[in-house]
Amino acid sequence: MADAAPERRTSNTLQRIGEILQSGTMQEARRLLNALHPAEIAHLLESMPPAQRELVWELVDPEYDGEVLLHLGDDVRQSLIEGMDAQELIQATEGLDVDDLADLVQDLPETVLKETLKGMDKQRLQRLEAVLLYPEDSAGGLMDTDTVTVRADVSLDVVLRYLRLRGALPDATDTLIVVNRYDRYLGLLPLSALLINDPDHTVAEVMAQDIDGIPAQASAREVAKIFEDRDLVSAAVIDEQGKLLGRITIDDVVDVIREEADHSVMGRAGLSDDEDIFAPVLLSSRRRAVWLGINLATAFLAAGVIGLFEGTIEKSVELAVLMPIVASMGGIAGSQTLTLVVRGLALDQVAHGNLRWIFRKEVAVGALNGMLWALVVALIAIVWFGNYKIGGIIALAMMLNLAVAALVGVGIPLVLRRLRIDPAIAGGVILTTFTDVIGYASFLGLATLLLFTV
Amino acid sequence: MADAAPERRTSNTLQRIGEILQSGTMQEARRLLNALHPAEIAHLLESMPPAQRELVWELVDPEYDGEVLLHLGDDVRQSLIEGMDAQELIQATEGLDVDDLADLVQDLPETVLKETLKGMDKQRLQRLEAVLLYPEDSAGGLMDTDTVTVRADVSLDVVLRYLRLRGALPDATDTLIVVNRYDRYLGLLPLSALLINDPDHTVAEVMAQDIDGIPAQASAREVAKIFEDRDLVSAAVIDEQGKLLGRITIDDVVDVIREEADHSVMGRAGLSDDEDIFAPVLLSSRRRAVWLGINLATAFLAAGVIGLFEGTIEKSVELAVLMPIVASMGGIAGSQTLTLVVRGLALDQVAHGNLRWIFRKEVAVGALNGMLWALVVALIAIVWFGNYKIGGIIALAMMLNLAVAALVGVGIPLVLRRLRIDPAIAGGVILTTFTDVIGYASFLGLATLLLFTV
């Protein structure tokens, strides 16, 4: 990695494995593949069409299977799991961290799940159950239960001896968790504090008490916010009585942030978060058809509005030429407002206290830009069609549509959030329905009123 | 935090500070405010209209100023810095980590920057210069230079004594960095390895050698990928000769991931990453006007295409009613393909070896959905207007437009990337230009050919 960017490295490996697969020396492909990190293998698999993917998946050392599955998006993971037999699946789940296992377990077929649980030792089973009690996207669902705890009243020296006796620590252990005798969370003991302080000190004297435990019910998004704000590497998860349940590590938080980001980008286009770019044609078509169908319905609504003014268009066909401009500018301006407000809501920057301010500002911005571009469009329309009236009508319609776009751009996410619908996904469709309908209706309506009567 | 979700907590604080500001007891507002974490203060400030924001900013304890500024988006940060005098700014930069300082320094006015550099001790200045040598979005720009290094041939016992003597470790130190006598990077020594192994072992015996150093030129995105794939908390940054330059910690990587996500969501709507939702009306209007202007140009292009067929529309006004459906469905289908391919490129899943596969798949999906919805639209059009010919024409135009949408949805991001233009920002506008123009042209063109001649 010191001499090649990892991106190029994967492309190279991809190409080489492809070549080797074609020339038939499986042994070499296997060696090349299993020298990679499981995350890199996962990435390779995600970059391959299904046929090649299955071939390569066969070559992966079974001992990496679990880790590789974890690093795959839901879609690809599901398709590979379907091709594995119970034996292989059970083997893949061994050796995984409990929080990761909890992630995977939900994708396993029922029979395999039962087998896996049966084969598990009691402690591991109890831990898994503790995690599965909570929704996947909550602090409880993200936590791992293999915490290393210490009591507040012992000396650092005792802790040091205990650790040496214990041997290996769980991954990403940057702190030990301090609890009282009822297992209630008291604070954190950073490993660095163990190393730099006099061993005669007690844990209570050097532990950090300013990092609160995270309630198991907290949403994944809240957890991410706490980690980001406080620059944490790990944090304790507690129940309602303050009892320690487990710990969350930054690598899981990074996954949450990445998924959230994917969700908003993909959701806006009506795609699922983990959409496999190499999904089978039929599956992709079926999924996308739904989104197209919804959009078709709104398009027909807009067409219906235009249909009301057929008579007007017949008399002055320039209207048909200009009308999409009014609709599309409303959509563009509205989606800027919508994007800003949806992000503001997600970051919790938008609240009751400042809503009126945001409404006023967005409408003012819409009005200003409405006036500016109304003027430009009017001038072009007048030059193009030599008709002052049409210029005035399109200017009025544009100003109206941009003001409405600002209002609905702020209003839609607020209403959707009230209804518990994700505004990042549904917001865009609803917005353009408004701006199309109002754009066409105002332009053609004003034309009907003013063009032939005045 | 144990009993209230942090989101609610900030809203509450926001409301309470608002109330207190109005009732006039500044002392209480100040106390409430400065009890918060700097990241929470930053969040509060970002959730306030400018007037209130300045008032509250005055109340923040100057010793937190630097940390708070760091947690703010570029826009808000810039506006607050403009209101500070040189003295306050210099004070704010003291005590910041060098990598954070490097971030902030680029926003400081020239005079303040000079003063700040003048007041800095030599070692800190050298470190700052080392970071500023590299672009902000590269491994070098992200790194901090206060590394704790050890030599491979010493015993753990020596390291333990050294650390106790040294006292405090830099934030997020989960590993020490092992170098040879020429300061070349050799590997990492996790703190946990120090704690669990026999102190008689040498560093070389227990250090981790499987984590490569990250080249200073690596892009921030590559850094994030390495951290995500390997679940790292910190990593070493090296120059071309393998010499240790500094280290990157996970908190900076989390910021990179968050910014990348913001960039793709905001960029799609033509907004800047850090757009302040409470920005002044004139500033917002001016910025958004550019995007609206670009879109207006493409809308006129589409209008121009419609204009070519004025005669046809005049003869059959139903065409004006139905034509937006063809254009809009192409845009929706195309943006699904575009989103998928842009993400595939960002994740480096799309490469030469599989491009043909992706093209074929997307065109097949487009064709299938084109046929499905062409049928539906044709039936509705026939029922609506009682005209079989129009049904056939719209079906043909839709199939054509959805196939083209798939082609350009894959092609545009590839071309833009070649041209070094961010496909996440420019892709959508270019795509809808294509789908609008081809949608209108195919529908109206086919109508002109078939409706009155056959």
Side-chain angles (χ1 to χ4, degrees), chain B residues 307-343:
Chain B
L308 297 177
F309 301 96
E310 266 187 62
T312 310
I313 296 174
E314 211 154 21
K315 283 189 239 165
S316 172
V317 105
E318 302 94 311
L319 297 174
V321 175
L322 293 172
M323 67 185 185
I325 294 175
V326 182
S328 105
M329 288 295 275
I332 298 289
S335 82
Q336 291 193 313
T337 301
L338 180 79
T339 303
L340 209 60
V341 173
V342 168
R343 196 186 62 149

mmCIF file of all heavy atoms in Angstrom, chain B residues 307-343:
data_model
loop_
_atom_site.group_PDB
_atom_site.id
_atom_site.type_symbol
_atom_site.label_atom_id
_atom_site.label_comp_id
_atom_site.label_asym_id
_atom_site.label_seq_id
_atom_site.Cartn_x
_atom_site.Cartn_y
_atom_site.Cartn_z
ATOM 1 N N GLY B 307 -40.194 23.995 -29.611
ATOM 2 C CA GLY B 307 -40.493 25.046 -30.582
ATOM 3 C C GLY B 307 -40.408 24.565 -32.028
ATOM 4 O O GLY B 307 -41.153 25.040 -32.899
ATOM 5 N N LEU B 308 -39.522 23.585 -32.273
ATOM 6 C CA LEU B 308 -39.379 23.057 -33.630
ATOM 7 C C LEU B 308 -40.671 22.392 -34.118
ATOM 8 O O LEU B 308 -40.884 22.220 -35.313
ATOM 9 C CB LEU B 308 -38.241 22.022 -33.677
ATOM 10 C CG LEU B 308 -36.836 22.515 -33.346
ATOM 11 C CD1 LEU B 308 -35.859 21.353 -33.363
ATOM 12 C CD2 LEU B 308 -36.411 23.582 -34.346
ATOM 13 N N PHE B 309 -41.499 21.969 -33.166
ATOM 14 C CA PHE B 309 -42.684 21.194 -33.527
ATOM 15 C C PHE B 309 -43.982 21.956 -33.274
ATOM 16 O O PHE B 309 -45.027 21.350 -33.096
ATOM 17 C CB PHE B 309 -42.688 19.859 -32.768
ATOM 18 C CG PHE B 309 -41.477 19.017 -33.040
ATOM 19 C CD1 PHE B 309 -40.373 19.041 -32.192
ATOM 20 C CD2 PHE B 309 -41.425 18.204 -34.176
ATOM 21 C CE1 PHE B 309 -39.260 18.267 -32.448
ATOM 22 C CE2 PHE B 309 -40.315 17.426 -34.436
ATOM 23 C CZ PHE B 309 -39.223 17.456 -33.574
ATOM 24 N N GLU B 310 -43.880 23.297 -33.205
ATOM 25 C CA GLU B 310 -45.080 24.101 -32.951
ATOM 26 C C GLU B 310 -46.225 23.725 -33.883
ATOM 27 O O GLU B 310 -47.378 23.605 -33.462
ATOM 28 C CB GLU B 310 -44.754 25.584 -33.132
ATOM 29 C CG GLU B 310 -44.366 26.276 -31.832
ATOM 30 C CD GLU B 310 -44.224 27.778 -32.029
ATOM 31 O OE1 GLU B 310 -45.219 28.423 -32.391
ATOM 32 O OE2 GLU B 310 -43.108 28.288 -31.832
ATOM 33 N N GLY B 311 -45.886 23.531 -35.144
ATOM 34 C CA GLY B 311 -46.920 23.213 -36.134
ATOM 35 C C GLY B 311 -47.645 21.922 -35.792
ATOM 36 O O GLY B 311 -48.878 21.837 -35.890
ATOM 37 N N THR B 312 -46.873 20.933 -35.371
ATOM 38 C CA THR B 312 -47.469 19.639 -35.019
ATOM 39 C C THR B 312 -48.398 19.768 -33.815
ATOM 40 O O THR B 312 -49.512 19.226 -33.802
ATOM 41 C CB THR B 312 -46.346 18.619 -34.694
ATOM 42 O OG1 THR B 312 -45.400 18.647 -35.741
ATOM 43 C CG2 THR B 312 -46.923 17.236 -34.537
ATOM 44 N N ILE B 313 -47.920 20.503 -32.797
ATOM 45 C CA ILE B 313 -48.735 20.669 -31.590
ATOM 46 C C ILE B 313 -50.019 21.402 -31.923
ATOM 47 O O ILE B 313 -51.103 21.071 -31.423
ATOM 48 C CB ILE B 313 -47.940 21.436 -30.513
ATOM 49 C CG1 ILE B 313 -46.714 20.629 -30.084
ATOM 50 C CG2 ILE B 313 -48.816 21.725 -29.297
ATOM 51 C CD1 ILE B 313 -45.793 21.358 -29.129
ATOM 52 N N GLU B 314 -49.918 22.397 -32.819
ATOM 53 C CA GLU B 314 -51.092 23.172 -33.187
ATOM 54 C C GLU B 314 -52.173 22.255 -33.765
ATOM 55 O O GLU B 314 -53.360 22.429 -33.492
ATOM 56 C CB GLU B 314 -50.686 24.220 -34.235
ATOM 57 C CG GLU B 314 -51.508 25.483 -34.143
ATOM 58 C CD GLU B 314 -50.729 26.680 -34.682
ATOM 59 O OE1 GLU B 314 -49.766 26.444 -35.453
ATOM 60 O OE2 GLU B 314 -51.057 27.812 -34.319
ATOM 61 N N LYS B 315 -51.728 21.253 -34.527
ATOM 62 C CA LYS B 315 -52.694 20.352 -35.155
ATOM 63 C C LYS B 315 -53.272 19.345 -34.171
ATOM 64 O O LYS B 315 -54.389 18.865 -34.338
ATOM 65 C CB LYS B 315 -52.012 19.588 -36.316
ATOM 66 C CG LYS B 315 -51.840 20.449 -37.554
ATOM 67 C CD LYS B 315 -51.375 19.597 -38.730
ATOM 68 C CE LYS B 315 -50.039 20.129 -39.249
ATOM 69 N NZ LYS B 315 -49.336 19.210 -40.121
ATOM 70 N N SER B 316 -52.475 18.993 -33.158
ATOM 71 C CA SER B 316 -52.954 17.972 -32.221
ATOM 72 C C SER B 316 -52.490 18.334 -30.806
ATOM 73 O O SER B 316 -51.400 17.964 -30.372
ATOM 74 C CB SER B 316 -52.410 16.609 -32.645
ATOM 75 O OG SER B 316 -52.716 15.662 -31.669
ATOM 76 N N VAL B 317 -53.348 19.072 -30.116
ATOM 77 C CA VAL B 317 -52.936 19.688 -28.857
ATOM 78 C C VAL B 317 -52.749 18.660 -27.738
ATOM 79 O O VAL B 317 -52.104 18.938 -26.723
ATOM 80 C CB VAL B 317 -53.935 20.817 -28.504
ATOM 81 C CG1 VAL B 317 -54.865 20.401 -27.402
ATOM 82 C CG2 VAL B 317 -53.203 22.095 -28.170
ATOM 83 N N GLU B 318 -53.264 17.436 -27.922
ATOM 84 C CA GLU B 318 -53.025 16.382 -26.925
ATOM 85 C C GLU B 318 -51.536 16.141 -26.715
ATOM 86 O O GLU B 318 -51.108 15.713 -25.647
ATOM 87 C CB GLU B 318 -53.646 15.049 -27.354
ATOM 88 C CG GLU B 318 -55.127 15.061 -27.601
ATOM 89 C CD GLU B 318 -55.432 15.290 -29.072
ATOM 90 O OE1 GLU B 318 -54.857 16.248 -29.651
ATOM 91 O OE2 GLU B 318 -56.224 14.528 -29.634
ATOM 92 N N LEU B 319 -50.768 16.392 -27.770
ATOM 93 C CA LEU B 319 -49.322 16.167 -27.671
ATOM 94 C C LEU B 319 -48.700 17.015 -26.573
ATOM 95 O O LEU B 319 -47.830 16.565 -25.829
ATOM 96 C CB LEU B 319 -48.650 16.479 -29.010
ATOM 97 C CG LEU B 319 -49.069 15.608 -30.200
ATOM 98 C CD1 LEU B 319 -48.428 16.125 -31.484
ATOM 99 C CD2 LEU B 319 -48.663 14.165 -29.941
ATOM 100 N N ALA B 320 -49.171 18.250 -26.449
ATOM 101 C CA ALA B 320 -48.650 19.143 -25.414
ATOM 102 C C ALA B 320 -48.996 18.613 -24.023
ATOM 103 O O ALA B 320 -48.236 18.790 -23.071
ATOM 104 C CB ALA B 320 -49.200 20.549 -25.586
ATOM 105 N N VAL B 321 -50.136 17.958 -23.936
ATOM 106 C CA VAL B 321 -50.564 17.422 -22.637
ATOM 107 C C VAL B 321 -49.676 16.246 -22.235
ATOM 108 O O VAL B 321 -49.287 16.110 -21.072
ATOM 109 C CB VAL B 321 -52.044 16.985 -22.714
ATOM 110 C CG1 VAL B 321 -52.472 16.327 -21.417
ATOM 111 C CG2 VAL B 321 -52.931 18.171 -23.040
ATOM 112 N N LEU B 322 -49.335 15.409 -23.204
ATOM 113 C CA LEU B 322 -48.622 14.169 -22.880
ATOM 114 C C LEU B 322 -47.092 14.299 -22.879
ATOM 115 O O LEU B 322 -46.394 13.507 -22.252
ATOM 116 C CB LEU B 322 -49.032 13.063 -23.864
ATOM 117 C CG LEU B 322 -50.477 12.590 -23.749
ATOM 118 C CD1 LEU B 322 -50.801 11.632 -24.899
ATOM 119 C CD2 LEU B 322 -50.723 11.904 -22.408
ATOM 120 N N MET B 323 -46.585 15.302 -23.580
ATOM 121 C CA MET B 323 -45.126 15.326 -23.779
ATOM 122 C C MET B 323 -44.299 15.401 -22.483
ATOM 123 O O MET B 323 -43.239 14.793 -22.412
ATOM 124 C CB MET B 323 -44.727 16.436 -24.769
ATOM 125 C CG MET B 323 -44.964 17.837 -24.248
ATOM 126 S SD MET B 323 -44.602 19.086 -25.524
ATOM 127 C CE MET B 323 -44.835 20.577 -24.545
ATOM 128 N N PRO B 324 -44.780 16.114 -21.432
ATOM 129 C CA PRO B 324 -43.930 16.127 -20.230
ATOM 130 C C PRO B 324 -43.756 14.741 -19.604
ATOM 131 O O PRO B 324 -42.775 14.491 -18.909
ATOM 132 C CB PRO B 324 -44.672 17.058 -19.264
ATOM 133 C CG PRO B 324 -45.607 17.854 -20.108
ATOM 134 C CD PRO B 324 -45.973 16.960 -21.251
ATOM 135 N N ILE B 325 -44.721 13.849 -19.854
ATOM 136 C CA ILE B 325 -44.621 12.507 -19.261
ATOM 137 C C ILE B 325 -43.401 11.774 -19.805
ATOM 138 O O ILE B 325 -42.636 11.163 -19.060
ATOM 139 C CB ILE B 325 -45.911 11.702 -19.548
ATOM 140 C CG1 ILE B 325 -47.077 12.363 -18.797
ATOM 141 C CG2 ILE B 325 -45.753 10.245 -19.126
ATOM 142 C CD1 ILE B 325 -48.418 11.739 -19.087
ATOM 143 N N VAL B 326 -43.207 11.851 -21.111
ATOM 144 C CA VAL B 326 -42.068 11.172 -21.732
ATOM 145 C C VAL B 326 -40.762 11.731 -21.173
ATOM 146 O O VAL B 326 -39.859 10.984 -20.787
ATOM 147 C CB VAL B 326 -42.098 11.347 -23.267
ATOM 148 C CG1 VAL B 326 -40.936 10.597 -23.900
ATOM 149 C CG2 VAL B 326 -43.428 10.866 -23.830
ATOM 150 N N ALA B 327 -40.678 13.063 -21.115
ATOM 151 C CA ALA B 327 -39.444 13.683 -20.634
ATOM 152 C C ALA B 327 -39.190 13.321 -19.177
ATOM 153 O O ALA B 327 -38.074 12.941 -18.797
ATOM 154 C CB ALA B 327 -39.533 15.196 -20.804
ATOM 155 N N SER B 328 -40.226 13.395 -18.341
ATOM 156 C CA SER B 328 -39.985 13.213 -16.912
ATOM 157 C C SER B 328 -39.649 11.762 -16.567
ATOM 158 O O SER B 328 -38.776 11.497 -15.730
ATOM 159 C CB SER B 328 -41.166 13.738 -16.097
ATOM 160 O OG SER B 328 -41.942 12.699 -15.584
ATOM 161 N N MET B 329 -40.298 10.804 -17.248
ATOM 162 C CA MET B 329 -39.973 9.401 -16.969
ATOM 163 C C MET B 329 -38.525 9.095 -17.358
ATOM 164 O O MET B 329 -37.831 8.337 -16.676
ATOM 165 C CB MET B 329 -40.935 8.469 -17.709
ATOM 166 C CG MET B 329 -42.330 8.456 -17.121
ATOM 167 S SD MET B 329 -42.411 7.778 -15.440
ATOM 168 C CE MET B 329 -42.529 6.039 -15.794
ATOM 169 N N GLY B 330 -38.069 9.674 -18.457
ATOM 170 C CA GLY B 330 -36.664 9.488 -18.840
ATOM 171 C C GLY B 330 -35.735 10.029 -17.773
ATOM 172 O O GLY B 330 -34.737 9.392 -17.407
ATOM 173 N N GLY B 331 -36.083 11.193 -17.245
ATOM 174 C CA GLY B 331 -35.251 11.804 -16.210
ATOM 175 C C GLY B 331 -35.184 10.943 -14.957
ATOM 176 O O GLY B 331 -34.101 10.747 -14.377
ATOM 177 N N ILE B 332 -36.317 10.394 -14.556
ATOM 178 C CA ILE B 332 -36.346 9.576 -13.333
ATOM 179 C C ILE B 332 -35.530 8.292 -13.524
ATOM 180 O O ILE B 332 -34.681 7.954 -12.694
ATOM 181 C CB ILE B 332 -37.810 9.218 -12.958
ATOM 182 C CG1 ILE B 332 -38.631 10.482 -12.670
ATOM 183 C CG2 ILE B 332 -37.845 8.261 -11.786
ATOM 184 C CD1 ILE B 332 -38.295 11.181 -11.400
ATOM 185 N N ALA B 333 -35.786 7.603 -14.622
ATOM 186 C CA ALA B 333 -35.061 6.345 -14.867
ATOM 187 C C ALA B 333 -33.567 6.615 -14.997
ATOM 188 O O ALA B 333 -32.735 5.895 -14.441
ATOM 189 C CB ALA B 333 -35.599 5.663 -16.122
ATOM 190 N N GLY B 334 -33.229 7.666 -15.726
ATOM 191 C CA GLY B 334 -31.817 7.990 -15.923
ATOM 192 C C GLY B 334 -31.128 8.328 -14.622
ATOM 193 O O GLY B 334 -29.978 7.942 -14.398
ATOM 194 N N SER B 335 -31.836 9.037 -13.739
ATOM 195 C CA SER B 335 -31.158 9.433 -12.506
ATOM 196 C C SER B 335 -30.949 8.239 -11.581
ATOM 197 O O SER B 335 -30.037 8.235 -10.757
ATOM 198 C CB SER B 335 -31.912 10.557 -11.805
ATOM 199 O OG SER B 335 -32.965 10.043 -11.063
ATOM 200 N N GLN B 336 -31.760 7.184 -11.752
ATOM 201 C CA GLN B 336 -31.484 5.965 -10.984
ATOM 202 C C GLN B 336 -30.166 5.341 -11.448
ATOM 203 O O GLN B 336 -29.313 4.995 -10.639
ATOM 204 C CB GLN B 336 -32.634 4.970 -11.133
ATOM 205 C CG GLN B 336 -33.906 5.452 -10.439
ATOM 206 C CD GLN B 336 -34.939 4.362 -10.299
ATOM 207 O OE1 GLN B 336 -35.217 3.634 -11.257
ATOM 208 N NE2 GLN B 336 -35.512 4.221 -9.125
ATOM 209 N N THR B 337 -30.031 5.219 -12.758
ATOM 210 C CA THR B 337 -28.783 4.671 -13.298
ATOM 211 C C THR B 337 -27.600 5.547 -12.905
ATOM 212 O O THR B 337 -26.560 5.061 -12.447
ATOM 213 C CB THR B 337 -28.873 4.570 -14.829
ATOM 214 O OG1 THR B 337 -29.968 3.729 -15.164
ATOM 215 C CG2 THR B 337 -27.602 4.004 -15.424
ATOM 216 N N LEU B 338 -27.766 6.855 -13.086
ATOM 217 C CA LEU B 338 -26.692 7.790 -12.775
ATOM 218 C C LEU B 338 -26.242 7.660 -11.317
ATOM 219 O O LEU B 338 -25.048 7.569 -11.023
ATOM 220 C CB LEU B 338 -27.176 9.218 -13.041
ATOM 221 C CG LEU B 338 -26.190 10.336 -12.780
ATOM 222 C CD1 LEU B 338 -25.209 10.447 -13.930
ATOM 223 C CD2 LEU B 338 -26.893 11.671 -12.586
ATOM 224 N N THR B 339 -27.208 7.624 -10.408
ATOM 225 C CA THR B 339 -26.881 7.535 -8.980
ATOM 226 C C THR B 339 -26.082 6.281 -8.686
ATOM 227 O O THR B 339 -25.095 6.300 -7.949
ATOM 228 C CB THR B 339 -28.174 7.542 -8.135
ATOM 229 O OG1 THR B 339 -28.907 8.720 -8.450
ATOM 230 C CG2 THR B 339 -27.874 7.510 -6.650
ATOM 231 N N LEU B 340 -26.522 5.179 -9.283
ATOM 232 C CA LEU B 340 -25.870 3.901 -9.052
ATOM 233 C C LEU B 340 -24.432 3.917 -9.577
ATOM 234 O O LEU B 340 -23.508 3.432 -8.924
ATOM 235 C CB LEU B 340 -26.677 2.814 -9.762
ATOM 236 C CG LEU B 340 -26.647 1.425 -9.172
ATOM 237 C CD1 LEU B 340 -27.176 1.441 -7.757
ATOM 238 C CD2 LEU B 340 -27.504 0.491 -10.027
ATOM 239 N N VAL B 341 -24.250 4.469 -10.754
ATOM 240 C CA VAL B 341 -22.918 4.468 -11.364
ATOM 241 C C VAL B 341 -21.995 5.458 -10.644
ATOM 242 O O VAL B 341 -20.820 5.164 -10.424
ATOM 243 C CB VAL B 341 -23.006 4.779 -12.878
ATOM 244 C CG1 VAL B 341 -21.626 4.939 -13.480
ATOM 245 C CG2 VAL B 341 -23.775 3.673 -13.588
ATOM 246 N N VAL B 342 -22.530 6.613 -10.252
ATOM 247 C CA VAL B 342 -21.704 7.581 -9.519
ATOM 248 C C VAL B 342 -21.231 6.956 -8.210
ATOM 249 O O VAL B 342 -20.064 7.073 -7.834
ATOM 250 C CB VAL B 342 -22.483 8.894 -9.251
ATOM 251 C CG1 VAL B 342 -21.749 9.761 -8.247
ATOM 252 C CG2 VAL B 342 -22.690 9.657 -10.542
ATOM 253 N N ARG B 343 -22.129 6.247 -7.536
ATOM 254 C CA ARG B 343 -21.695 5.588 -6.310
ATOM 255 C C ARG B 343 -20.693 4.477 -6.604
ATOM 256 O O ARG B 343 -19.706 4.300 -5.896
ATOM 257 C CB ARG B 343 -22.868 5.026 -5.519
ATOM 258 C CG ARG B 343 -22.415 4.711 -4.087
ATOM 259 C CD ARG B 343 -23.446 4.027 -3.267
ATOM 260 N NE ARG B 343 -23.812 2.734 -3.825
ATOM 261 C CZ ARG B 343 -24.190 1.702 -3.094
ATOM 262 N NH1 ARG B 343 -24.268 1.829 -1.785
ATOM 263 N NH2 ARG B 343 -24.520 0.567 -3.658
#
